[in-house]
Amino acid sequence: MAQAGKNIVVGVGGGIAAYKACMVIREFTKAGHTVTAIPTAAAESFIGTATLEALTGQPATSSVFTGIPQVRHVSVGSAADLVVVAPTTADLLSRIAAGAANDMLTTTLLMATCPVLLAPAMHTQMWENSLVQRNVATLREHGYTVMEPAVGRLTGPDSGAGRLPEPHEIADMALALLEEQELATARSVPATAMPRDLTGRYIIVTAGGTREALDPVRYLGNNSSGQQGAALAACAAQRGAHVTLLLGAHDLPYLPAGVHVEPVTSALHLHHTLTALLDTHPVDAVIMAAAVADFRPTSTADTKLKKGTSSEPSSIALTRNPDILADIVTRYPHLTTVGFAAETGDSDHTVLQLGREKFARKGCHLLMVNEVGFDTTFGQPTNAGWLLGRDGAETRIPRMSKRGVAMRILDQLSTLLATQEP
């Protein structure tokens, strides 16, 4: 996780989604960071500077003629550890891409040498306009991270791509960039934006838990929250991939922007949906982060099983579910596959030893081995473990945010895919 106490600038563009910047700011202050909000003049028509100052405890103005003695148009940007602009309107994208310095926000961006995250929000036709896309490409070439917008309800009755991602997601992505910056500093390498090294790739990610029905009311399940798989899907999309997320039971506060989500329920449902996609689409990689049940009830009751009645079971017979990862490794030999080994360890084996054994059985290209248990990994914001590769490499991944873990996995997946033509 990114260390607390960083200086974060939140720029606010002049769009109807400007009010959501308040929730982004709150996420950063809750995490212990100092926030300075900088609205554009248009944003001040949507949200008052008094609100931004109350949330941050810092002056908020669009003008470079405020705070002259402190030279704020220079000092704020140069002191920033991270800059986030949400929403980033089409006009603001254009001005940033042109190197404009005609207000406090654009001047601050020119001064900033830290990671910058832009979260666009506009009508679908504006987002898809070739001029806007040219500006997005220019900004990415110059080291800015431009998030993919969400798909959903826009202003009025319209719906489509261009909706501002949820505030939680913007904050999560921003803090992941800050975490990447800290790792780069520790390695004495330059800070970089979110890479676009998966552009042109089609990746399927599975996430969440499966539910194996006992009757119309009850099921066998597990404690998977879906967070790690969702982080992988979100980061893969921001790195340029076309991503389909097969999502089982979860407790995610939002669905990742720029990702096509298909809900699944049981292990058999997941298996059927996945193979149907693999049989009909040119998929480059599958990341099996879902917590798939090993067993399911041999039979499912048509009506609710009730205690004290003839339907009350004395035991529940189980049968094995298919090994989905092993099956797709065998059936699709040219597919790049990433598996997960969620282990608790036992009296005879460590988590890593059990992971190595699973890796040998599955035959996938990469396997993320992580320890799970009560209050460990499942439902938690962090993860840790070992990433095993076919070449015998075992990369230790220290405890970090699940987006940080996702980035480490995608780094190695990108390297594998780089030997293939997209």
Side-chain angles (χ1 to χ4, degrees):
M1 301 287 286
Q3 296 180 9
K6 300 295 184 180
N7 292 317
I8 300 178
V9 172
V10 175
V12 187
I16 188 63
Y19 74 95
K20 292 186 178 180
C22 297
M23 290 173 271
V24 176
I25 291 169
R26 180 56 58 88
E27 290 298 312
F28 292 146
T29 57
K30 281 168 51 181
H33 302 292
T34 299
V35 180
T36 300
I38 305 178
T40 63
E44 292 176 338
S45 297
F46 288 93
I47 183 171
T49 55
T51 299
L52 299 175
E53 291 179 349
L55 289 171
T56 64
Q58 303 292 329
T61 179
S62 62
S63 174
V64 296
F65 298 106
T66 301
I68 292 295
Q70 293 78 36
V71 199
R72 293 189 76 245
H73 71 287
V74 171
S75 61
V76 174
S78 60
D81 297 302
L82 173 72
V83 179
V84 179
V85 183
T88 312
T89 62
D91 174 74
L92 193 48
L93 281 172
S94 174
R95 291 197 288 127
I96 300 170
N102 52 4
D103 63 6
M104 183 66 179
L105 180 53
T106 51
T107 304
T108 297
L109 285 165
L110 287 180
M111 285 299 304
T113 58
C114 60
V116 176
L117 176 68
L118 307 178
M122 64 198 73
H123 193 279
T124 304
Q125 288 173 261
M126 296 176 71
W127 171 250
E128 294 176 349
N129 187 284
S130 61
L131 293 174
V132 172
Q133 289 302 308
R134 183 189 67 185
N135 290 332
V136 169
T138 297
L139 289 165
R140 284 172 172 161
E141 289 171 3
H142 284 78
Y144 292 84
T145 296
V146 184
M147 290 186 71
E148 293 295 324
V151 176
R153 181 72 178 270
L154 305 173
T155 303
D158 294 338
S159 182
R163 179 183 173 90
L164 186 72
E166 292 302 312
H168 282 298
E169 180 163 22
I170 296 171
D172 285 349
M173 187 63 70
L175 293 176
L177 282 179
L178 195 55
E179 191 172 38
E180 293 297 299
Q181 163 78 356
E182 291 174 352
L183 290 171
T185 301
R187 297 169 184 159
S188 299
V189 297
T192 59
M194 182 75 70
R196 300 288 292 179
D197 52 355
L198 296 176
T199 299
R201 301 295 185 179
Y202 182 17
I203 297 175
I204 297 175
V205 181
T206 71
T210 61
R211 292 180 172 180
E212 314 300 325
L214 291 165
D215 61 22
V217 178
R218 305 178 182 88
Y219 59 85
L220 298 178
N222 57 57
N223 292 323
S224 176
S225 66
Q227 291 180 31
Q228 186 63 77
L232 282 157
C235 291
Q238 300 306 331
R239 291 172 76 149
H242 172 68
V243 181
T244 294
L245 175 62
L246 303 184
L247 183 60
H250 65 88
D251 59 10
L252 300 173
Y254 59 84
L255 297 180
V259 172
H260 175 67
V261 179
E262 290 195 24
V264 294
T265 52
S266 65
L268 293 180
H269 186 198
L270 172 58
H271 193 197
H272 172 76
T273 304
L274 176 57
T275 53
L277 286 171
L278 292 174
D279 288 338
T280 56
H281 294 77
V283 179
D284 294 289
V286 171
I287 305 176
M288 287 288 299
V292 181
D294 290 327
F295 306 97
R296 68 181 186 276
T298 302
S299 62
T300 301
D302 294 328
T303 59
K304 180 181 177 181
L305 301 173
K306 297 183 178 180
K307 60 186 176 182
T309 69
S310 59
S311 67
E312 179 179 345
S314 58
S315 62
I316 299 173
L318 302 176
T319 187
R320 282 188 181 185
N321 273 322
D323 188 328
I324 301 176
L325 178 57
D327 177 63
I328 64 171
V329 167
T330 301
R331 291 175 59 181
Y332 308 95
H334 300 297
L335 179 69
T336 302
T337 49
V338 181
F340 273 71
E343 300 288 352
T344 60
D346 57 35
S347 58
D348 299 318
H349 303 86
T350 66
V351 168
L352 180 56
Q353 288 171 335
L354 291 174
R356 289 169 178 156
E357 292 176 5
K358 184 172 184 177
F359 189 40
R361 293 194 307 271
K362 302 293 185 179
C364 51
H365 292 82
L366 295 170
L367 185 76
M368 175 66 195
V369 182
N370 57 315
E371 183 175 9
V372 297
F374 296 112
D375 299 322
T376 303
T377 303
F378 280 152
Q380 303 301 310
T382 62
N383 198 357
W386 300 263
L387 189 57
L388 311 185
R390 277 187 179 178
D391 59 359
E394 293 185 357
T395 304
R396 180 75 173 95
I397 298 182
R399 186 153 299 280
M400 61 178 66
S401 73
K402 288 184 175 177
R403 292 222 176 194
V405 172
M407 291 292 283
R408 305 284 77 73
I409 294 171
L410 293 174
D411 286 345
Q412 294 207 25
L413 175 61
S414 175
T415 300
L416 287 173
L417 292 175
T419 61
Q420 307 169 16
E421 290 297 327

Coordinates of all heavy atoms in Angstrom, one line a residue, residues 9-11 24 28 81-88 93 96 109 114-120 143-148 165 167-178 193-194 238 403:
V9 N -2.6 16.4 -5.4 CA -3.4 17.4 -6.0 C -4.5 16.8 -6.8 O -4.3 15.9 -7.6 CB -2.5 18.3 -7.0 CG1 -3.4 19.3 -7.8 CG2 -1.4 19.0 -6.3
V10 N -5.7 17.3 -6.5 CA -6.9 16.8 -7.2 C -7.4 18.0 -8.1 O -7.9 19.0 -7.6 CB -8.0 16.3 -6.3 CG1 -9.3 16.0 -7.1 CG2 -7.5 15.1 -5.5
G11 N -7.3 17.9 -9.4 CA -7.8 18.8 -10.3 C -9.3 18.5 -10.6 O -9.6 17.3 -10.8
V24 N -13.6 11.5 -4.3 CA -12.2 11.1 -4.5 C -11.3 11.7 -3.5 O -10.5 11.1 -2.9 CB -11.8 11.6 -5.9 CG1 -10.3 11.3 -6.2 CG2 -12.6 10.9 -7.0
F28 N -8.7 10.0 -0.4 CA -7.3 10.3 -0.2 C -7.1 10.8 1.3 O -6.1 10.4 1.9 CB -6.8 11.4 -1.2 CG -6.8 10.9 -2.6 CD1 -7.1 11.8 -3.6 CD2 -6.4 9.6 -2.9 CE1 -7.0 11.4 -5.0 CE2 -6.4 9.2 -4.2 CZ -6.7 10.1 -5.2
D81 N 3.2 14.8 -5.0 CA 3.7 13.4 -5.2 C 2.8 12.7 -6.2 O 3.1 11.6 -6.7 CB 3.6 12.6 -3.9 CG 4.6 13.2 -2.8 OD1 5.8 13.2 -3.1 OD2 4.1 13.6 -1.8
L82 N 1.6 13.3 -6.5 CA 0.6 12.6 -7.4 C -0.4 13.7 -7.8 O -0.8 14.5 -6.9 CB -0.1 11.5 -6.7 CG -1.3 10.8 -7.4 CD1 -0.8 10.0 -8.6 CD2 -2.1 9.9 -6.5
V83 N -0.8 13.7 -9.0 CA -1.9 14.6 -9.5 C -3.0 13.8 -10.1 O -2.7 12.9 -10.9 CB -1.4 15.7 -10.5 CG1 -2.5 16.6 -11.0 CG2 -0.2 16.5 -9.9
V84 N -4.2 14.0 -9.7 CA -5.3 13.4 -10.2 C -6.3 14.4 -10.8 O -6.6 15.4 -10.0 CB -6.1 12.5 -9.2 CG1 -7.3 11.8 -9.8 CG2 -5.1 11.5 -8.6
V85 N -6.8 14.3 -12.0 CA -7.8 15.2 -12.5 C -9.0 14.4 -12.8 O -9.1 13.5 -13.7 CB -7.3 15.9 -13.8 CG1 -8.3 16.9 -14.3 CG2 -5.9 16.6 -13.6
A86 N -10.1 14.8 -12.0 CA -11.4 14.1 -12.2 C -12.5 15.0 -11.9 O -12.6 15.6 -10.8 CB -11.4 12.9 -11.2
P87 N -13.4 15.3 -12.8 CA -13.4 14.7 -14.2 C -12.4 15.5 -15.1 O -12.2 16.7 -14.9 CB -14.8 14.9 -14.7 CG -15.3 16.1 -13.9 CD -14.6 16.1 -12.6
T88 N -11.9 14.8 -16.1 CA -11.1 15.5 -17.2 C -12.0 15.6 -18.4 O -12.4 14.7 -19.0 CB -9.9 14.7 -17.5 OG1 -9.2 14.3 -16.4 CG2 -9.0 15.5 -18.4
L93 N -8.7 18.0 -21.7 CA -7.8 17.1 -22.3 C -7.0 17.8 -23.4 O -5.8 17.7 -23.6 CB -8.5 15.9 -23.0 CG -8.9 14.8 -22.0 CD1 -9.8 13.8 -22.8 CD2 -7.7 14.0 -21.5
I96 N -4.5 20.4 -21.9 CA -3.3 19.7 -21.3 C -2.4 19.2 -22.4 O -1.2 19.3 -22.4 CB -3.7 18.6 -20.4 CG1 -4.6 19.1 -19.2 CG2 -2.5 17.8 -19.8 CD1 -5.2 18.0 -18.4
L109 N 0.0 21.3 -13.7 CA 0.4 20.1 -14.4 C 1.7 20.2 -15.1 O 2.5 19.3 -15.2 CB -0.7 19.8 -15.4 CG -2.0 19.2 -14.8 CD1 -3.2 19.2 -15.8 CD2 -1.8 17.7 -14.3
C114 N 5.7 14.3 -11.0 CA 5.2 13.1 -10.4 C 4.2 12.4 -11.3 O 3.8 12.9 -12.4 CB 4.5 13.5 -9.1 SG 3.0 14.6 -9.3
P115 N 3.7 11.2 -10.9 CA 2.7 10.6 -11.8 C 1.4 11.4 -11.8 O 1.0 12.1 -10.9 CB 2.4 9.3 -11.0 CG 3.6 9.0 -10.2 CD 4.2 10.3 -9.8
V116 N 0.8 11.4 -13.0 CA -0.5 12.2 -13.2 C -1.5 11.2 -13.8 O -1.3 10.5 -14.8 CB -0.3 13.3 -14.2 CG1 -1.6 14.0 -14.5 CG2 0.8 14.3 -13.7
L117 N -2.7 11.2 -13.1 CA -3.8 10.3 -13.6 C -4.9 11.2 -14.0 O -5.4 12.1 -13.3 CB -4.3 9.5 -12.4 CG -5.5 8.6 -12.7 CD1 -5.2 7.5 -13.7 CD2 -6.0 7.9 -11.4
L118 N -5.4 11.0 -15.2 CA -6.5 11.8 -15.8 C -7.7 10.8 -15.9 O -7.6 9.7 -16.5 CB -6.2 12.3 -17.2 CG -4.9 13.2 -17.3 CD1 -4.7 13.6 -18.7 CD2 -4.9 14.4 -16.3
A119 N -8.9 11.2 -15.4 CA -10.1 10.4 -15.5 C -11.1 11.1 -16.3 O -11.8 12.0 -15.9 CB -10.6 10.2 -14.1
P120 N -11.2 10.8 -17.6 CA -12.1 11.5 -18.5 C -13.5 11.3 -18.2 O -13.9 10.2 -17.7 CB -11.7 10.9 -19.9 CG -10.4 10.3 -19.8 CD -10.3 9.8 -18.3
G143 N 3.6 10.5 -21.0 CA 3.7 10.0 -19.7 C 2.5 10.1 -18.7 O 2.6 9.8 -17.5
Y144 N 1.4 10.6 -19.3 CA 0.2 10.7 -18.4 C -0.5 9.4 -18.5 O -0.5 8.7 -19.5 CB -0.7 11.8 -19.0 CG -0.2 13.2 -18.8 CD1 0.7 13.8 -19.8 CD2 -0.6 14.0 -17.7 CE1 1.1 15.1 -19.6 CE2 -0.1 15.3 -17.6 CZ 0.7 15.8 -18.6 OH 1.2 17.1 -18.4
T145 N -1.1 9.0 -17.4 CA -2.0 7.9 -17.3 C -3.4 8.3 -17.5 O -3.9 9.1 -16.7 CB -1.9 7.1 -16.0 OG1 -0.6 6.6 -15.9 CG2 -2.9 6.0 -15.9
V146 N -4.1 7.9 -18.6 CA -5.4 8.3 -18.9 C -6.3 7.1 -18.7 O -6.2 6.1 -19.4 CB -5.6 8.8 -20.3 CG1 -7.0 9.3 -20.6 CG2 -4.6 10.0 -20.6
M147 N -7.2 7.2 -17.7 CA -8.1 6.0 -17.5 C -9.1 5.8 -18.6 O -9.5 6.8 -19.3 CB -8.9 6.3 -16.2 CG -8.0 6.2 -14.9 SD -9.1 6.3 -13.4 CE -9.9 4.7 -13.4
E148 N -9.5 4.6 -18.8 CA -10.6 4.3 -19.7 C -11.9 4.7 -18.9 O -12.0 4.4 -17.8 CB -10.7 2.8 -20.0 CG -9.5 2.3 -20.8 CD -9.5 2.9 -22.2 OE1 -10.6 3.1 -22.8 OE2 -8.4 3.2 -22.7
P165 N -15.5 7.0 -14.1 CA -15.4 5.9 -13.2 C -15.8 6.2 -11.8 O -15.7 7.4 -11.4 CB -13.9 5.5 -13.3 CG -13.4 6.0 -14.7 CD -14.2 7.3 -14.8
P167 N -15.7 7.0 -7.9 CA -14.7 7.6 -7.1 C -13.8 6.6 -6.4 O -12.5 6.8 -6.4 CB -15.5 8.4 -6.1 CG -16.8 8.8 -6.8 CD -17.1 7.6 -7.6
H168 N -14.3 5.5 -5.9 CA -13.5 4.5 -5.3 C -12.4 3.9 -6.3 O -11.3 3.7 -6.0 CB -14.3 3.3 -4.8 CG -15.0 3.5 -3.5 ND1 -14.3 3.8 -2.3 CD2 -16.3 3.6 -3.2 CE1 -15.2 4.0 -1.4 NE2 -16.4 3.8 -1.9
E169 N -12.9 3.7 -7.6 CA -11.9 3.2 -8.6 C -10.9 4.2 -8.9 O -9.7 3.8 -9.1 CB -12.7 2.7 -9.8 CG -11.8 2.2 -10.9 CD -12.4 1.3 -11.9 OE1 -13.7 1.5 -12.1 OE2 -11.8 0.5 -12.6
I170 N -11.3 5.5 -9.1 CA -10.3 6.5 -9.4 C -9.2 6.6 -8.3 O -8.0 6.6 -8.5 CB -11.0 7.9 -9.6 CG1 -11.9 7.8 -10.8 CG2 -9.9 9.0 -9.7 CD1 -12.8 9.1 -10.9
A171 N -9.7 6.6 -7.0 CA -8.8 6.6 -5.9 C -7.9 5.4 -5.8 O -6.7 5.5 -5.6 CB -9.5 6.8 -4.6
D172 N -8.5 4.2 -6.1 CA -7.7 3.0 -6.1 C -6.6 3.0 -7.1 O -5.4 2.6 -6.9 CB -8.6 1.8 -6.3 CG -9.4 1.4 -5.0 OD1 -9.1 2.0 -4.0 OD2 -10.3 0.6 -5.1
M173 N -7.0 3.4 -8.3 CA -6.0 3.5 -9.4 C -4.9 4.5 -9.1 O -3.7 4.3 -9.4 CB -6.7 3.8 -10.8 CG -5.8 3.7 -12.0 SD -5.1 2.1 -12.3 CE -6.6 1.2 -12.8
A174 N -5.3 5.6 -8.6 CA -4.3 6.7 -8.2 C -3.3 6.2 -7.2 O -2.1 6.4 -7.3 CB -5.1 7.9 -7.7
L175 N -3.9 5.5 -6.1 CA -3.0 5.0 -5.1 C -2.1 3.9 -5.6 O -1.0 3.7 -5.1 CB -3.8 4.6 -3.9 CG -4.5 5.7 -3.2 CD1 -5.4 5.2 -2.0 CD2 -3.6 6.8 -2.6
A176 N -2.6 3.1 -6.6 CA -1.7 2.1 -7.2 C -0.6 2.8 -8.0 O 0.6 2.3 -7.9 CB -2.5 1.3 -8.2
L177 N -0.8 3.9 -8.6 CA 0.2 4.7 -9.3 C 1.2 5.2 -8.3 O 2.5 5.2 -8.5 CB -0.3 5.8 -10.1 CG -1.0 5.5 -11.5 CD1 -1.5 6.8 -12.1 CD2 0.0 4.9 -12.4
L178 N 0.7 5.6 -7.1 CA 1.6 6.1 -6.1 C 2.5 5.0 -5.5 O 3.7 5.2 -5.3 CB 0.8 6.8 -5.0 CG 1.5 7.7 -4.0 CD1 2.2 8.8 -4.6 CD2 0.5 8.2 -3.0
A193 N 4.4 6.1 -16.1 CA 3.0 6.1 -16.2 C 2.5 4.6 -16.3 O 3.3 3.7 -16.4 CB 2.4 6.9 -17.3
M194 N 1.2 4.4 -16.2 CA 0.7 3.1 -16.4 C 1.1 2.7 -17.8 O 0.8 3.3 -18.8 CB -0.8 3.1 -16.3 CG -1.5 1.8 -16.5 SD -1.3 0.6 -15.1 CE -2.4 1.4 -13.9
Q238 N -6.6 -0.8 -18.2 CA -5.8 0.4 -18.2 C -4.5 0.3 -19.0 O -3.9 1.3 -19.4 CB -5.6 1.0 -16.8 CG -6.9 1.2 -16.1 CD -7.9 2.2 -16.8 OE1 -7.5 3.0 -17.6 NE2 -9.2 2.0 -16.6
R403 N -4.0 -4.1 -6.2 CA -3.7 -3.6 -7.5 C -2.2 -3.6 -7.7 O -1.7 -3.9 -8.9 CB -4.1 -2.1 -7.6 CG -5.7 -2.0 -7.6 CD -6.2 -1.0 -8.6 NE -7.6 -1.0 -8.7 CZ -8.3 -0.4 -9.6 NH1 -7.7 0.2 -10.6 NH2 -9.6 -0.5 -9.6

